[in-house]
Amino acid sequence: ASDATLARLRDSAAGNPLYLIELARSVATSSAQSNAAFPETVERVLAARIDQLPVAGRELIRDASVLGSTMSCALASRVLDRADLTDAETWARELGDLVVIDKETVRFRHDMVRVAAYEGLSVRRRRAVHQRAGDVIEEWGELVPIADPVSALAFHATGSGIPERIVKWNHEAAEAAIAKGAMEIAESLLRDVVGAQRQVGAEAVECCATHRRLAFAAERAGHPDAALGALAQAARLAAEPERALIAVDRTRMLEKLGRYRSALVTTARALKACPDFNTSGHLRLSRATVRNFLGDWLECLELTRALLRDFENSDDRRLLAQAHLLAEWCCSCLGLPERVDHERAALALLTELDDSIGLANLLLNRGVSAWRECRPADAIADVRASSELYERAGDVPGMAIADNNLAETLTSQFRLDEAELLLLRVRRLLRAASYPLGAIAATSGLSRIAAWRGQVTEALELQIEALTGFRELGADDYVVDSLVRLVEIHVIVGDARAALEAAKDAERALARLGDVPVTPAALARLTARALRLAGRNDDARESFQKAFELAMADGFTYEIALASMGLARMDGDDERYAAGLAQLAELGVIAAPPGT
């Protein structure tokens, strides 16, 4: 080719190597003039190359595209009813370098070649080949040369448009995908089943079951809105006893979407219409879970204690496991020693049930408790194990929430770069999953990292965004935490007046929240720093002392050390300050927060 043609090729490709190569091949084999306009996309280039094949080659490549990117020569021979396709030479002769031949299989050199060929088929021909492929695979049986026959049958059922086949094979393939943790694939397959059941007029009970399974897959894939929609459809199709169970699932989705008031209304209505004792237990557990998300830990704990009393002799091990799990978390938040008893009971029950998600929840809770109990290595190990369990189970939001907790620990250790990478990933995942509470929590965490790096303008913007989001969701415990972080940002800036105003807001919010651990100590410590900035040293000393006493009562080493260091700075006590640094070092902290 001339230099001018090569220059045009480079300019047209714009850095896309596949487009450049295919465009060059097209130019080399085309009889068109060298100044003719180039196809604008790689798909058009490939379509043009296919159009240049002889008639037999065009028919073969388009029919073969129905069988996937890689296919067995023997399968293609049977589906397309051509004995010569078992011979590799036939493929090489008719399709040339558009395919790659490897012993008994043929694959398209690039999947875009297959797509371009597939797009060239009429809808009628596509469906006919898909139907024939499904027939052949079913008839062939166990010896069919396909790695995953069920997935292949679902693929061809969908392509054939035959609803009876879609109901059968897509449902089976969806269950296989769920077993592997491939929830997005399962969700897509089940959506096709829903449409096919509508076409064949399936019984309401069957349609209801499919919608519930679709909701399960969508939830695990991180699509709570889609799951909620599927559950709404299931509720319309369900009989009264099952509708109450669906309400439990709907409540969980509403929790994930931060719609707590709606969640409480859903459970209240379902309880009124629920005659079954066991189902009412799950609804009561759902209400307790909502109270936990609202930060009403005392009420949540009372609800779970009542459940454990009422169901003490129940065979519903899953209900008992979840009640103990929730009680463990509330006790941890409230600093109650019975936390350990609930942890042991939850661990035994969840292990017996082989409940991966429940165990992931427990490990996450246990990690938070380990950090508060000055066991940093255990804390990080438990939270990482929790994230891995969520991931293996296909629970994307769960994994992201665990990683968010890990990032909080890493931030406290001043491992800011590691924490930031985690939080950016977490926020991206949870925004994509439409899980607002988790995404906003990640934003709050990123604000603290920015503040500790001295990027105070960015920190302030992020924290105000987080605070607004928490208030809109009615997540009172997160509102308090955000306000405390706002105090810290103003302290780092050196704005005593703004810091003290934020501290007053935090105190009022904390009073509404009730008796919680750790946060009051942190607020008292940061208020002390604001008072010192304002020149009110006596008040500052009193606030530091309050922070120290609160932290000692909670047994939270991190806050004990920081409060002690604050008092040491006021008194010029270098020895006490060094002791505080040593306590932080035991937690794996490589640097204290700025200004400490």
Side-chain angles (χ1 to χ4, degrees), residues 343-393:
E343 179 194 323
R344 287 174 184 151
L347 180 60
L349 287 164
L350 292 167
T351 303
E352 176 190 332
L353 292 165
D354 193 23
D355 183 346
S356 297
I357 298 296
L359 286 167
N361 290 338
L362 180 60
L363 282 169
L364 180 57
N365 292 359
R366 200 166 73 177
V368 174
S369 298
W371 173 251
R372 289 175 177 169
E373 293 165 8
C374 196
R375 294 183 286 114
D378 291 341
I380 291 171
D382 280 342
V383 176
R384 281 190 169 140
S386 170
S387 177
E388 289 168 5
L389 270 176
Y390 283 124
E391 186 174 19
R392 283 202 296 271

Side-chain angles (χ1 to χ4, degrees), residues 196-491:
Q197 284 179 328
R198 194 179 301 118
Q199 285 181 270
V200 300
E203 295 290 332
V205 65
E206 296 173 11
C207 295
C208 178
T210 302
H211 279 293
R212 290 191 69 182
R213 203 59 173 153
L214 171 59
F216 173 84
E219 178 187 358
R220 296 293 178 85
H223 304 145
D225 274 315
L228 190 60
L231 289 169
Q233 292 292 333
R236 293 187 188 100
L237 296 164
E240 191 58 50
E242 189 177 11
R243 199 170 294 147
L245 286 172
I246 294 170
V248 173
D249 294 333
R250 291 180 69 191
T251 302
R252 188 172 61 254
M253 291 304 98
L254 290 166
E255 290 163 14
K256 290 191 172 185
L257 291 165
R259 293 159 60 181
Y260 302 124
R261 186 176 298 279
S262 295
L264 289 172
V265 169
T266 298
T267 53
R269 288 175 177 170
L271 276 167
K272 286 181 181 178
C274 181
D276 182 73
F277 178 71
N278 288 331
T279 303
S280 70
H282 285 277
L283 288 166
R284 289 164 62 192
L285 182 65
S286 294
R287 289 185 69 79
T289 304
V290 176
R291 289 299 176 190
N292 167 56
F293 278 108
L294 288 169
D296 298 337
W297 295 311
L298 279 172
E299 184 172 351
C300 176
L301 185 58
E302 286 305 312
L303 288 168
T304 53
R305 283 170 173 165
L307 271 173
L308 290 169
R309 285 195 302 270
D310 294 345
F311 286 82
E312 183 179 4
N313 300 315
S314 171
D315 292 331
D316 193 339
R317 316 298 281 172
R318 193 167 300 280
L319 174 66
L320 292 170
Q322 293 301 320
H324 276 296
L325 181 61
L326 197 54
E328 187 275 340
W329 173 251
C330 291
C331 289
S332 178
C333 292
L334 295 166
L336 300 178
E338 64 187 89
R339 182 200 72 77
V340 177
D341 295 331
H342 289 298
E343 179 194 323
R344 287 174 184 151
L347 180 60
L349 287 164
L350 292 167
T351 303
E352 176 190 332
L353 292 165
D354 193 23
D355 183 346
S356 297
I357 298 296
L359 286 167
N361 290 338
L362 180 60
L363 282 169
L364 180 57
N365 292 359
R366 200 166 73 177
V368 174
S369 298
W371 173 251
R372 289 175 177 169
E373 293 165 8
C374 196
R375 294 183 286 114
D378 291 341
I380 291 171
D382 280 342
V383 176
R384 281 190 169 140
S386 170
S387 177
E388 289 168 5
L389 270 176
Y390 283 124
E391 186 174 19
R392 283 202 296 271
D395 189 336
V396 176
M399 177 187 70
I401 291 165
D403 286 344
N404 184 76
N405 277 267
L406 177 57
E408 290 294 317
T409 300
L410 294 173
T411 301
S412 297
Q413 292 181 323
F414 219 88
R415 294 159 64 180
L416 303 185
D417 290 346
E418 294 174 66
E420 183 181 40
L421 286 173
L422 271 175
L423 286 173
L424 288 170
R425 177 170 174 267
V426 164
R427 187 170 64 171
R428 184 176 68 252
L429 284 171
L430 293 179
R431 280 177 173 173
S434 299
Y435 187 8
L437 181 62
I440 297 167
T443 298
S444 178
L446 288 166
S447 167
R448 185 164 68 148
I449 290 172
W452 286 14
R453 283 177 173 159
Q455 300 163 345
V456 290
T457 302
E458 180 185 352
L460 195 57
E461 289 175 355
L462 289 170
Q463 200 57 243
I464 289 172
E465 177 188 337
L467 179 59
T468 302
F470 291 139
R471 280 174 168 159
E472 287 175 354
L473 292 176
D476 294 341
D477 54 331
Y478 287 90
V479 168
V480 171
D481 188 62
S482 184
L483 285 168
V484 171
R485 291 182 178 187
L486 204 56
V487 175
E488 183 177 42
I489 295 168
H490 289 310
V491 166

Side-chain angles (χ1 to χ4, degrees), residues 25-42:
R25 282 197 175 104
S26 177
V27 169
T29 58
S30 175
S31 59
Q33 294 182 357
S34 60
N35 63 352
F38 291 153
E40 295 178 358
T41 65
V42 69

